């Protein structure tokens, strides 16, 4: 059964928010991270990263993979933040509108970073991502049973 310390959850969360994918090596309790190939499709892996991927292919049961939220989950998190915390109607409308546009994440980030909710949003997103990491641990453990 996989369990992570709060420190391990924090590290994985931080890496996911940077656009990385994480692999937790169960036997050594080590976290490996590398750019998510969906975001960095022209990124050349380092020899160390290639070795890690080869090891994962050779021994997949010894690794738990952690990925960022899918876009619909990210949008729902953003919408939930607006509904719960943003009191100014105009800003709330602008944020909701940003979610309907191409490059919605960028538009949302621009608006929120220019508002008084910037720090509150970053804390909220961090907490939601920690929950997301814990959900992935639960899914991993459920799949193992």
């Amino acid at each position: 059964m996989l369990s992570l310390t709060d420190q391990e959850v924090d590290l994985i969360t931080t890496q996911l928010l940077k656009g990385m994918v994480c692999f937790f090596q169960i036997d050594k309790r080590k976290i490996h991270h590398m750019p998510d190939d969906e975001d960095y499709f022209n990124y050349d892996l380092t020899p160390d990263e290639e070795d890690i991927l080869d090891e994962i292919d050779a021994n997949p049961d010894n690794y738990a993979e952690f990925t960022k939220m899918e876009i619909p989950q990210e949008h729902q998190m953003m919408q939930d933040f607006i509904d719960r915390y943003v009191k100014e109607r105009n800003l709330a409308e602008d944020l909701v509108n940003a979610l309907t546009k191409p490059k919605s994440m960028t538009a949302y980030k621009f608006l929120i970073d220019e508002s008084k909710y910037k720090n509150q949003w970053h804390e909220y997103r961090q907490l939601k991502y920690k929950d997301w990491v814990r959900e992935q641990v639960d899914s991993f453990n459920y799949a193992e049973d």
Side-chain angles (χ1 to χ4, degrees), residues 116-132:
K116 69 180 185 181
Y117 298 100
K118 177 181 179 177
N119 292 336
Q120 194 174 4
W121 162 246
H122 289 285
E123 289 170 17
Y124 180 81
R125 187 171 183 228
Q126 187 89 14
L127 282 174
K128 291 298 176 186
Y129 254 89
K130 286 179 185 181
D131 290 344
W132 172 241

Side-chain angles (χ1 to χ4, degrees), residues 61-119:
D61 292 342
N62 191 36
Y63 292 87
E65 180 178 5
F66 293 89
T67 60
K68 66 182 182 182
M69 291 181 187
E70 297 292 326
I71 290 174
Q73 292 168 298
E74 288 264 1
H75 278 206
Q76 187 61 53
M77 175 180 52
M78 293 173 182
Q79 184 65 56
D80 291 346
F81 180 80
I82 296 165
D83 294 343
R84 290 182 183 166
Y85 299 106
V86 179
K87 303 298 181 218
E88 293 83 357
R89 193 165 157 196
N90 287 344
L91 177 59
E93 288 173 0
D94 288 347
L95 289 166
V96 169
N97 191 32
L99 294 177
T100 65
K101 299 200 179 316
K103 305 236 183 226
S104 58
M105 309 285 223
T106 304
Y108 185 95
K109 182 180 179 342
F110 176 79
L111 289 169
I112 208 82
D113 283 354
E114 295 298 315
S115 76
K116 69 180 185 181
Y117 298 100
K118 177 181 179 177
N119 292 336

